[in-house]
Amino acid sequence: MYPNDGFRELERQECLRLLAKVPVGRIVHTRQALPAVLPVNFSLDGDGAVLLCTSAASELARAVDGTVVAFEADEVDAVAHSGWSVVVTGAAAVVRDPEEHERLTRTGPRSWAPSPEEVFVRIEPELVTGRELVGGRSLYGVHLSP
Amino acid sequence: MYPNDGFRELERQECLRLLAKVPVGRIVHTRQALPAVLPVNFSLDGDGAVLLCTSAASELARAVDGTVVAFEADEVDAVAHSGWSVVVTGAAAVVRDPEEHERLTRTGPRSWAPSPEEVFVRIEPELVTGRELVGGRSLYGVHLSP
């Protein structure tokens, strides 16, 4: 991300392993020409794609379908000044293939508040980046502050 | 944000009160034409502006100076399916006025890893939005899933 800022860059597999540990991330997209951010629960598909489940009528599904989005998750310890942050950047699309939808109904994320008609949104893991944030005075000399 | 998604919208003052409770948020900007997201520690100025402190040499300071950014913070309880999310959207700028810089040196956020030359970045609170995410089966009938 910012290679000269003193963070430890994480490898793709390490990023995906960390992402799999947390239930909630934040989808970043554009809304009315302004940046928009929304926390959502998610799961990872076998290939590292980020999967969301939302109401078919939701504005989010319409807003991100067919666009490039970023999906971020992190864990930060504000006392130790340590943690990690991972960002998946890629095309987002509502899953329209009936077989794929059926598969995700069995194996994909569950909506925290089920609605009558749900859709899955898939974010392709085209770019997976991450950084480790180890305490400011640690052995590594890396830190959270940008 | 998405008024028809069943979340409770939060008033500006409520948003700022919640923001003041947490030490870390995420700055959303554009980098090489792609959405970029980075967790940072912050504090709030008296007027609700978001203040960051970073190395003068950081890529973040250059990337956001003079652009419109979003700054998001949240607290989510993945067990109770509840929490809140607040977004401040506005122009970001490196503080160049010496008196203002001096004031922030005394009252502004501290970098988690001090560097020899630090700058403050101020994000104007032009748009302050938030939503409360109360458990899917709660009295309010609102939820996190978008």
Side-chain angles (χ1 to χ4, degrees), chain B residues 69-106:
Chain B
V69 304
F71 184 83
E72 191 263 1
D74 58 53
E75 277 189 329
V76 176
D77 181 331
V79 175
H81 295 183
S82 65
W84 56 266
S85 169
V86 166
V87 179
V88 174
T89 307
V94 170
V95 173
R96 292 193 171 78
D97 179 77
E99 283 183 28
E100 181 67 359
H101 181 90
E102 169 60 24
R103 179 181 74 87
L104 295 178
T105 302
R106 294 192 310 274

PDB file of all heavy atoms in Angstrom, chain B residues 69-106:
ATOM      1  N   VAL B  69     -12.283  13.223   1.076  1.00  0.00           N
ATOM      2  CA  VAL B  69     -12.117  11.864   1.599  1.00  0.00           C
ATOM      3  C   VAL B  69     -13.299  11.511   2.494  1.00  0.00           C
ATOM      4  O   VAL B  69     -14.079  12.387   2.888  1.00  0.00           O
ATOM      5  CB  VAL B  69     -10.812  11.726   2.426  1.00  0.00           C
ATOM      6  CG1 VAL B  69      -9.596  12.140   1.613  1.00  0.00           C
ATOM      7  CG2 VAL B  69     -10.897  12.521   3.715  1.00  0.00           C
ATOM      8  N   ALA B  70     -13.403  10.228   2.799  1.00  0.00           N
ATOM      9  CA  ALA B  70     -14.356   9.792   3.816  1.00  0.00           C
ATOM     10  C   ALA B  70     -13.556   9.217   4.970  1.00  0.00           C
ATOM     11  O   ALA B  70     -12.498   8.603   4.768  1.00  0.00           O
ATOM     12  CB  ALA B  70     -15.305   8.740   3.250  1.00  0.00           C
ATOM     13  N   PHE B  71     -14.037   9.458   6.157  1.00  0.00           N
ATOM     14  CA  PHE B  71     -13.395   8.898   7.342  1.00  0.00           C
ATOM     15  C   PHE B  71     -14.470   8.128   8.109  1.00  0.00           C
ATOM     16  O   PHE B  71     -15.495   8.688   8.492  1.00  0.00           O
ATOM     17  CB  PHE B  71     -12.806  10.013   8.208  1.00  0.00           C
ATOM     18  CG  PHE B  71     -12.044   9.482   9.390  1.00  0.00           C
ATOM     19  CD1 PHE B  71     -10.718   9.084   9.253  1.00  0.00           C
ATOM     20  CD2 PHE B  71     -12.652   9.344  10.631  1.00  0.00           C
ATOM     21  CE1 PHE B  71     -10.028   8.562  10.330  1.00  0.00           C
ATOM     22  CE2 PHE B  71     -11.959   8.827  11.712  1.00  0.00           C
ATOM     23  CZ  PHE B  71     -10.647   8.428  11.557  1.00  0.00           C
ATOM     24  N   GLU B  72     -14.218   6.843   8.317  1.00  0.00           N
ATOM     25  CA  GLU B  72     -15.236   5.989   8.947  1.00  0.00           C
ATOM     26  C   GLU B  72     -14.721   5.412  10.240  1.00  0.00           C
ATOM     27  O   GLU B  72     -13.556   5.022  10.342  1.00  0.00           O
ATOM     28  CB  GLU B  72     -15.603   4.843   7.991  1.00  0.00           C
ATOM     29  CG  GLU B  72     -16.816   4.048   8.414  1.00  0.00           C
ATOM     30  CD  GLU B  72     -16.512   2.746   9.164  1.00  0.00           C
ATOM     31  OE1 GLU B  72     -15.322   2.421   9.406  1.00  0.00           O
ATOM     32  OE2 GLU B  72     -17.475   2.048   9.505  1.00  0.00           O
ATOM     33  N   ALA B  73     -15.602   5.348  11.229  1.00  0.00           N
ATOM     34  CA  ALA B  73     -15.299   4.598  12.451  1.00  0.00           C
ATOM     35  C   ALA B  73     -16.550   3.820  12.814  1.00  0.00           C
ATOM     36  O   ALA B  73     -17.675   4.200  12.454  1.00  0.00           O
ATOM     37  CB  ALA B  73     -14.896   5.540  13.576  1.00  0.00           C
ATOM     38  N   ASP B  74     -16.358   2.719  13.484  1.00  0.00           N
ATOM     39  CA  ASP B  74     -17.508   1.916  13.893  1.00  0.00           C
ATOM     40  C   ASP B  74     -17.171   1.094  15.112  1.00  0.00           C
ATOM     41  O   ASP B  74     -16.000   0.965  15.491  1.00  0.00           O
ATOM     42  CB  ASP B  74     -17.989   1.010  12.750  1.00  0.00           C
ATOM     43  CG  ASP B  74     -16.897   0.068  12.234  1.00  0.00           C
ATOM     44  OD1 ASP B  74     -16.277  -0.656  13.041  1.00  0.00           O
ATOM     45  OD2 ASP B  74     -16.663   0.036  11.014  1.00  0.00           O
ATOM     46  N   GLU B  75     -18.198   0.587  15.727  1.00  0.00           N
ATOM     47  CA  GLU B  75     -18.083  -0.434  16.774  1.00  0.00           C
ATOM     48  C   GLU B  75     -19.172  -1.443  16.476  1.00  0.00           C
ATOM     49  O   GLU B  75     -20.354  -1.079  16.443  1.00  0.00           O
ATOM     50  CB  GLU B  75     -18.310   0.173  18.161  1.00  0.00           C
ATOM     51  CG  GLU B  75     -17.090   0.824  18.775  1.00  0.00           C
ATOM     52  CD  GLU B  75     -17.309   1.209  20.233  1.00  0.00           C
ATOM     53  OE1 GLU B  75     -18.452   1.535  20.610  1.00  0.00           O
ATOM     54  OE2 GLU B  75     -16.323   1.191  20.997  1.00  0.00           O
ATOM     55  N   VAL B  76     -18.778  -2.683  16.237  1.00  0.00           N
ATOM     56  CA  VAL B  76     -19.757  -3.711  15.881  1.00  0.00           C
ATOM     57  C   VAL B  76     -19.596  -4.904  16.804  1.00  0.00           C
ATOM     58  O   VAL B  76     -18.477  -5.371  17.022  1.00  0.00           O
ATOM     59  CB  VAL B  76     -19.588  -4.159  14.407  1.00  0.00           C
ATOM     60  CG1 VAL B  76     -20.549  -5.291  14.082  1.00  0.00           C
ATOM     61  CG2 VAL B  76     -19.820  -2.985  13.456  1.00  0.00           C
ATOM     62  N   ASP B  77     -20.701  -5.351  17.362  1.00  0.00           N
ATOM     63  CA  ASP B  77     -20.709  -6.562  18.185  1.00  0.00           C
ATOM     64  C   ASP B  77     -21.233  -7.700  17.316  1.00  0.00           C
ATOM     65  O   ASP B  77     -22.424  -7.776  17.017  1.00  0.00           O
ATOM     66  CB  ASP B  77     -21.618  -6.331  19.405  1.00  0.00           C
ATOM     67  CG  ASP B  77     -21.652  -7.541  20.317  1.00  0.00           C
ATOM     68  OD1 ASP B  77     -21.472  -8.680  19.828  1.00  0.00           O
ATOM     69  OD2 ASP B  77     -21.869  -7.359  21.532  1.00  0.00           O
ATOM     70  N   ALA B  78     -20.311  -8.580  16.909  1.00  0.00           N
ATOM     71  CA  ALA B  78     -20.673  -9.624  15.946  1.00  0.00           C
ATOM     72  C   ALA B  78     -21.548 -10.703  16.570  1.00  0.00           C
ATOM     73  O   ALA B  78     -22.180 -11.476  15.856  1.00  0.00           O
ATOM     74  CB  ALA B  78     -19.413 -10.257  15.352  1.00  0.00           C
ATOM     75  N   VAL B  79     -21.585 -10.753  17.890  1.00  0.00           N
ATOM     76  CA  VAL B  79     -22.455 -11.739  18.544  1.00  0.00           C
ATOM     77  C   VAL B  79     -23.874 -11.189  18.648  1.00  0.00           C
ATOM     78  O   VAL B  79     -24.853 -11.841  18.287  1.00  0.00           O
ATOM     79  CB  VAL B  79     -21.899 -12.109  19.940  1.00  0.00           C
ATOM     80  CG1 VAL B  79     -22.854 -13.045  20.666  1.00  0.00           C
ATOM     81  CG2 VAL B  79     -20.521 -12.749  19.797  1.00  0.00           C
ATOM     82  N   ALA B  80     -23.978  -9.962  19.122  1.00  0.00           N
ATOM     83  CA  ALA B  80     -25.300  -9.340  19.287  1.00  0.00           C
ATOM     84  C   ALA B  80     -25.842  -8.789  17.966  1.00  0.00           C
ATOM     85  O   ALA B  80     -27.008  -8.412  17.879  1.00  0.00           O
ATOM     86  CB  ALA B  80     -25.213  -8.217  20.316  1.00  0.00           C
ATOM     87  N   HIS B  81     -24.975  -8.759  16.943  1.00  0.00           N
ATOM     88  CA  HIS B  81     -25.357  -8.162  15.659  1.00  0.00           C
ATOM     89  C   HIS B  81     -25.807  -6.719  15.852  1.00  0.00           C
ATOM     90  O   HIS B  81     -26.852  -6.307  15.341  1.00  0.00           O
ATOM     91  CB  HIS B  81     -26.465  -8.968  14.969  1.00  0.00           C
ATOM     92  CG  HIS B  81     -26.039 -10.338  14.558  1.00  0.00           C
ATOM     93  ND1 HIS B  81     -26.879 -11.194  13.864  1.00  0.00           N
ATOM     94  CD2 HIS B  81     -24.880 -11.016  14.743  1.00  0.00           C
ATOM     95  CE1 HIS B  81     -26.238 -12.337  13.643  1.00  0.00           C
ATOM     96  NE2 HIS B  81     -25.036 -12.250  14.171  1.00  0.00           N
ATOM     97  N   SER B  82     -25.035  -5.977  16.614  1.00  0.00           N
ATOM     98  CA  SER B  82     -25.407  -4.593  16.859  1.00  0.00           C
ATOM     99  C   SER B  82     -24.160  -3.709  16.823  1.00  0.00           C
ATOM    100  O   SER B  82     -23.038  -4.208  16.807  1.00  0.00           O
ATOM    101  CB  SER B  82     -26.090  -4.464  18.214  1.00  0.00           C
ATOM    102  OG  SER B  82     -25.176  -4.783  19.251  1.00  0.00           O
ATOM    103  N   GLY B  83     -24.386  -2.401  16.825  1.00  0.00           N
ATOM    104  CA  GLY B  83     -23.258  -1.477  16.796  1.00  0.00           C
ATOM    105  C   GLY B  83     -23.631  -0.194  16.084  1.00  0.00           C
ATOM    106  O   GLY B  83     -24.799   0.119  15.907  1.00  0.00           O
ATOM    107  N   TRP B  84     -22.610   0.535  15.681  1.00  0.00           N
ATOM    108  CA  TRP B  84     -22.846   1.784  14.964  1.00  0.00           C
ATOM    109  C   TRP B  84     -21.700   2.019  13.987  1.00  0.00           C
ATOM    110  O   TRP B  84     -20.610   1.456  14.123  1.00  0.00           O
ATOM    111  CB  TRP B  84     -22.973   2.967  15.934  1.00  0.00           C
ATOM    112  CG  TRP B  84     -21.787   3.141  16.842  1.00  0.00           C
ATOM    113  CD1 TRP B  84     -21.653   2.640  18.105  1.00  0.00           C
ATOM    114  CD2 TRP B  84     -20.555   3.833  16.550  1.00  0.00           C
ATOM    115  NE1 TRP B  84     -20.420   2.974  18.609  1.00  0.00           N
ATOM    116  CE2 TRP B  84     -19.731   3.714  17.699  1.00  0.00           C
ATOM    117  CE3 TRP B  84     -20.082   4.550  15.458  1.00  0.00           C
ATOM    118  CZ2 TRP B  84     -18.450   4.282  17.754  1.00  0.00           C
ATOM    119  CZ3 TRP B  84     -18.811   5.114  15.517  1.00  0.00           C
ATOM    120  CH2 TRP B  84     -18.023   4.971  16.661  1.00  0.00           C
ATOM    121  N   SER B  85     -21.971   2.872  13.024  1.00  0.00           N
ATOM    122  CA  SER B  85     -20.970   3.270  12.034  1.00  0.00           C
ATOM    123  C   SER B  85     -21.199   4.744  11.718  1.00  0.00           C
ATOM    124  O   SER B  85     -22.326   5.158  11.485  1.00  0.00           O
ATOM    125  CB  SER B  85     -21.126   2.422  10.772  1.00  0.00           C
ATOM    126  OG  SER B  85     -20.346   2.951   9.720  1.00  0.00           O
ATOM    127  N   VAL B  86     -20.129   5.521  11.736  1.00  0.00           N
ATOM    128  CA  VAL B  86     -20.216   6.950  11.440  1.00  0.00           C
ATOM    129  C   VAL B  86     -19.222   7.286  10.329  1.00  0.00           C
ATOM    130  O   VAL B  86     -18.104   6.757  10.307  1.00  0.00           O
ATOM    131  CB  VAL B  86     -19.905   7.789  12.703  1.00  0.00           C
ATOM    132  CG1 VAL B  86     -19.661   9.261  12.349  1.00  0.00           C
ATOM    133  CG2 VAL B  86     -21.047   7.674  13.713  1.00  0.00           C
ATOM    134  N   VAL B  87     -19.636   8.122   9.395  1.00  0.00           N
ATOM    135  CA  VAL B  87     -18.765   8.548   8.301  1.00  0.00           C
ATOM    136  C   VAL B  87     -18.737  10.073   8.236  1.00  0.00           C
ATOM    137  O   VAL B  87     -19.785  10.720   8.199  1.00  0.00           O
ATOM    138  CB  VAL B  87     -19.244   7.983   6.944  1.00  0.00           C
ATOM    139  CG1 VAL B  87     -18.324   8.463   5.819  1.00  0.00           C
ATOM    140  CG2 VAL B  87     -19.293   6.467   6.969  1.00  0.00           C
ATOM    141  N   VAL B  88     -17.536  10.630   8.243  1.00  0.00           N
ATOM    142  CA  VAL B  88     -17.328  12.062   8.025  1.00  0.00           C
ATOM    143  C   VAL B  88     -16.781  12.220   6.613  1.00  0.00           C
ATOM    144  O   VAL B  88     -15.766  11.610   6.273  1.00  0.00           O
ATOM    145  CB  VAL B  88     -16.317  12.644   9.039  1.00  0.00           C
ATOM    146  CG1 VAL B  88     -15.991  14.104   8.704  1.00  0.00           C
ATOM    147  CG2 VAL B  88     -16.853  12.519  10.461  1.00  0.00           C
ATOM    148  N   THR B  89     -17.453  12.999   5.791  1.00  0.00           N
ATOM    149  CA  THR B  89     -16.993  13.218   4.419  1.00  0.00           C
ATOM    150  C   THR B  89     -16.665  14.689   4.241  1.00  0.00           C
ATOM    151  O   THR B  89     -17.473  15.552   4.599  1.00  0.00           O
ATOM    152  CB  THR B  89     -18.086  12.798   3.411  1.00  0.00           C
ATOM    153  OG1 THR B  89     -18.500  11.467   3.703  1.00  0.00           O
ATOM    154  CG2 THR B  89     -17.559  12.844   1.984  1.00  0.00           C
ATOM    155  N   GLY B  90     -15.484  14.969   3.707  1.00  0.00           N
ATOM    156  CA  GLY B  90     -15.126  16.367   3.497  1.00  0.00           C
ATOM    157  C   GLY B  90     -13.729  16.517   2.946  1.00  0.00           C
ATOM    158  O   GLY B  90     -13.003  15.536   2.747  1.00  0.00           O
ATOM    159  N   ALA B  91     -13.359  17.757   2.716  1.00  0.00           N
ATOM    160  CA  ALA B  91     -12.035  18.063   2.172  1.00  0.00           C
ATOM    161  C   ALA B  91     -10.961  17.790   3.218  1.00  0.00           C
ATOM    162  O   ALA B  91     -11.112  18.152   4.389  1.00  0.00           O
ATOM    163  CB  ALA B  91     -11.989  19.524   1.731  1.00  0.00           C
ATOM    164  N   ALA B  92      -9.897  17.152   2.786  1.00  0.00           N
ATOM    165  CA  ALA B  92      -8.748  16.906   3.665  1.00  0.00           C
ATOM    166  C   ALA B  92      -7.621  17.842   3.266  1.00  0.00           C
ATOM    167  O   ALA B  92      -7.419  18.100   2.074  1.00  0.00           O
ATOM    168  CB  ALA B  92      -8.288  15.458   3.532  1.00  0.00           C
ATOM    169  N   ALA B  93      -6.903  18.348   4.253  1.00  0.00           N
ATOM    170  CA  ALA B  93      -5.777  19.224   3.941  1.00  0.00           C
ATOM    171  C   ALA B  93      -4.733  19.145   5.044  1.00  0.00           C
ATOM    172  O   ALA B  93      -5.065  19.035   6.231  1.00  0.00           O
ATOM    173  CB  ALA B  93      -6.244  20.668   3.772  1.00  0.00           C
ATOM    174  N   VAL B  94      -3.482  19.201   4.632  1.00  0.00           N
ATOM    175  CA  VAL B  94      -2.393  19.311   5.594  1.00  0.00           C
ATOM    176  C   VAL B  94      -2.465  20.712   6.214  1.00  0.00           C
ATOM    177  O   VAL B  94      -2.653  21.709   5.510  1.00  0.00           O
ATOM    178  CB  VAL B  94      -1.034  19.098   4.895  1.00  0.00           C
ATOM    179  CG1 VAL B  94       0.120  19.450   5.827  1.00  0.00           C
ATOM    180  CG2 VAL B  94      -0.905  17.655   4.411  1.00  0.00           C
ATOM    181  N   VAL B  95      -2.353  20.766   7.541  1.00  0.00           N
ATOM    182  CA  VAL B  95      -2.398  22.051   8.247  1.00  0.00           C
ATOM    183  C   VAL B  95      -1.069  22.772   8.034  1.00  0.00           C
ATOM    184  O   VAL B  95      -0.021  22.296   8.472  1.00  0.00           O
ATOM    185  CB  VAL B  95      -2.659  21.825   9.754  1.00  0.00           C
ATOM    186  CG1 VAL B  95      -2.528  23.138  10.532  1.00  0.00           C
ATOM    187  CG2 VAL B  95      -4.035  21.201   9.967  1.00  0.00           C
ATOM    188  N   ARG B  96      -1.125  23.915   7.343  1.00  0.00           N
ATOM    189  CA  ARG B  96       0.115  24.636   7.021  1.00  0.00           C
ATOM    190  C   ARG B  96       0.295  25.907   7.846  1.00  0.00           C
ATOM    191  O   ARG B  96       1.392  26.442   7.938  1.00  0.00           O
ATOM    192  CB  ARG B  96       0.149  24.971   5.528  1.00  0.00           C
ATOM    193  CG  ARG B  96       0.298  23.704   4.677  1.00  0.00           C
ATOM    194  CD  ARG B  96       0.648  24.002   3.237  1.00  0.00           C
ATOM    195  NE  ARG B  96       0.969  22.754   2.550  1.00  0.00           N
ATOM    196  CZ  ARG B  96       0.064  21.885   2.106  1.00  0.00           C
ATOM    197  NH1 ARG B  96      -1.223  22.129   2.283  1.00  0.00           N
ATOM    198  NH2 ARG B  96       0.439  20.764   1.509  1.00  0.00           N
ATOM    199  N   ASP B  97      -0.784  26.399   8.422  1.00  0.00           N
ATOM    200  CA  ASP B  97      -0.697  27.605   9.242  1.00  0.00           C
ATOM    201  C   ASP B  97       0.119  27.312  10.511  1.00  0.00           C
ATOM    202  O   ASP B  97      -0.231  26.404  11.280  1.00  0.00           O
ATOM    203  CB  ASP B  97      -2.114  28.063   9.609  1.00  0.00           C
ATOM    204  CG  ASP B  97      -2.084  29.304  10.491  1.00  0.00           C
ATOM    205  OD1 ASP B  97      -1.858  30.380   9.955  1.00  0.00           O
ATOM    206  OD2 ASP B  97      -2.267  29.170  11.725  1.00  0.00           O
ATOM    207  N   PRO B  98       1.212  28.065  10.736  1.00  0.00           N
ATOM    208  CA  PRO B  98       2.092  27.745  11.875  1.00  0.00           C
ATOM    209  C   PRO B  98       1.382  27.824  13.227  1.00  0.00           C
ATOM    210  O   PRO B  98       1.621  26.988  14.102  1.00  0.00           O
ATOM    211  CB  PRO B  98       3.193  28.816  11.771  1.00  0.00           C
ATOM    212  CG  PRO B  98       3.162  29.285  10.358  1.00  0.00           C
ATOM    213  CD  PRO B  98       1.744  29.170   9.912  1.00  0.00           C
ATOM    214  N   GLU B  99       0.505  28.801  13.402  1.00  0.00           N
ATOM    215  CA  GLU B  99      -0.202  28.911  14.688  1.00  0.00           C
ATOM    216  C   GLU B  99      -1.134  27.723  14.914  1.00  0.00           C
ATOM    217  O   GLU B  99      -1.263  27.215  16.016  1.00  0.00           O
ATOM    218  CB  GLU B  99      -1.005  30.213  14.744  1.00  0.00           C
ATOM    219  CG  GLU B  99      -0.132  31.431  15.012  1.00  0.00           C
ATOM    220  CD  GLU B  99      -0.961  32.691  15.144  1.00  0.00           C
ATOM    221  OE1 GLU B  99      -2.139  32.607  15.549  1.00  0.00           O
ATOM    222  OE2 GLU B  99      -0.428  33.770  14.825  1.00  0.00           O
ATOM    223  N   GLU B 100      -1.797  27.342  13.827  1.00  0.00           N
ATOM    224  CA  GLU B 100      -2.723  26.214  13.924  1.00  0.00           C
ATOM    225  C   GLU B 100      -1.930  24.921  14.193  1.00  0.00           C
ATOM    226  O   GLU B 100      -2.332  24.095  15.019  1.00  0.00           O
ATOM    227  CB  GLU B 100      -3.514  26.113  12.611  1.00  0.00           C
ATOM    228  CG  GLU B 100      -4.538  25.017  12.557  1.00  0.00           C
ATOM    229  CD  GLU B 100      -5.710  25.197  13.506  1.00  0.00           C
ATOM    230  OE1 GLU B 100      -5.739  26.184  14.260  1.00  0.00           O
ATOM    231  OE2 GLU B 100      -6.583  24.313  13.509  1.00  0.00           O
ATOM    232  N   HIS B 101      -0.810  24.778  13.512  1.00  0.00           N
ATOM    233  CA  HIS B 101       0.047  23.609  13.747  1.00  0.00           C
ATOM    234  C   HIS B 101       0.491  23.578  15.217  1.00  0.00           C
ATOM    235  O   HIS B 101       0.458  22.525  15.872  1.00  0.00           O
ATOM    236  CB  HIS B 101       1.262  23.640  12.820  1.00  0.00           C
ATOM    237  CG  HIS B 101       2.183  22.462  12.985  1.00  0.00           C
ATOM    238  ND1 HIS B 101       2.026  21.302  12.257  1.00  0.00           N
ATOM    239  CD2 HIS B 101       3.229  22.251  13.825  1.00  0.00           C
ATOM    240  CE1 HIS B 101       2.964  20.432  12.635  1.00  0.00           C
ATOM    241  NE2 HIS B 101       3.707  20.988  13.585  1.00  0.00           N
ATOM    242  N   GLU B 102       0.872  24.727  15.715  1.00  0.00           N
ATOM    243  CA  GLU B 102       1.312  24.840  17.110  1.00  0.00           C
ATOM    244  C   GLU B 102       0.184  24.456  18.070  1.00  0.00           C
ATOM    245  O   GLU B 102       0.387  23.711  19.034  1.00  0.00           O
ATOM    246  CB  GLU B 102       1.794  26.286  17.348  1.00  0.00           C
ATOM    247  CG  GLU B 102       2.058  26.679  18.788  1.00  0.00           C
ATOM    248  CD  GLU B 102       3.134  25.830  19.445  1.00  0.00           C
ATOM    249  OE1 GLU B 102       3.959  25.282  18.713  1.00  0.00           O
ATOM    250  OE2 GLU B 102       3.115  25.727  20.693  1.00  0.00           O
ATOM    251  N   ARG B 103      -1.017  24.944  17.769  1.00  0.00           N
ATOM    252  CA  ARG B 103      -2.165  24.597  18.620  1.00  0.00           C
ATOM    253  C   ARG B 103      -2.379  23.079  18.627  1.00  0.00           C
ATOM    254  O   ARG B 103      -2.597  22.471  19.683  1.00  0.00           O
ATOM    255  CB  ARG B 103      -3.429  25.305  18.109  1.00  0.00           C
ATOM    256  CG  ARG B 103      -4.682  24.967  18.928  1.00  0.00           C
ATOM    257  CD  ARG B 103      -5.923  25.663  18.398  1.00  0.00           C
ATOM    258  NE  ARG B 103      -6.454  25.112  17.161  1.00  0.00           N
ATOM    259  CZ  ARG B 103      -7.330  24.100  17.087  1.00  0.00           C
ATOM    260  NH1 ARG B 103      -7.768  23.517  18.196  1.00  0.00           N
ATOM    261  NH2 ARG B 103      -7.768  23.656  15.926  1.00  0.00           N
ATOM    262  N   LEU B 104      -2.297  22.466  17.434  1.00  0.00           N
ATOM    263  CA  LEU B 104      -2.553  21.018  17.351  1.00  0.00           C
ATOM    264  C   LEU B 104      -1.430  20.210  17.995  1.00  0.00           C
ATOM    265  O   LEU B 104      -1.662  19.100  18.473  1.00  0.00           O
ATOM    266  CB  LEU B 104      -2.781  20.603  15.893  1.00  0.00           C
ATOM    267  CG  LEU B 104      -4.042  21.218  15.264  1.00  0.00           C
ATOM    268  CD1 LEU B 104      -4.170  20.797  13.808  1.00  0.00           C
ATOM    269  CD2 LEU B 104      -5.298  20.807  16.047  1.00  0.00           C
ATOM    270  N   THR B 105      -0.230  20.758  18.007  1.00  0.00           N
ATOM    271  CA  THR B 105       0.866  20.079  18.692  1.00  0.00           C
ATOM    272  C   THR B 105       0.531  19.912  20.177  1.00  0.00           C
ATOM    273  O   THR B 105       0.893  18.921  20.811  1.00  0.00           O
ATOM    274  CB  THR B 105       2.176  20.878  18.523  1.00  0.00           C
ATOM    275  OG1 THR B 105       2.431  21.018  17.130  1.00  0.00           O
ATOM    276  CG2 THR B 105       3.352  20.175  19.183  1.00  0.00           C
ATOM    277  N   ARG B 106      -0.186  20.898  20.701  1.00  0.00           N
ATOM    278  CA  ARG B 106      -0.576  20.828  22.113  1.00  0.00           C
ATOM    279  C   ARG B 106      -1.856  20.022  22.318  1.00  0.00           C
ATOM    280  O   ARG B 106      -1.978  19.262  23.270  1.00  0.00           O
ATOM    281  CB  ARG B 106      -0.800  22.247  22.670  1.00  0.00           C
ATOM    282  CG  ARG B 106       0.456  23.106  22.739  1.00  0.00           C
ATOM    283  CD  ARG B 106       0.202  24.358  23.572  1.00  0.00           C
ATOM    284  NE  ARG B 106      -1.017  25.067  23.164  1.00  0.00           N
ATOM    285  CZ  ARG B 106      -1.067  25.979  22.176  1.00  0.00           C
ATOM    286  NH1 ARG B 106       0.021  26.293  21.511  1.00  0.00           N
ATOM    287  NH2 ARG B 106      -2.208  26.582  21.863  1.00  0.00           N
TER     288      ARG B 106
END
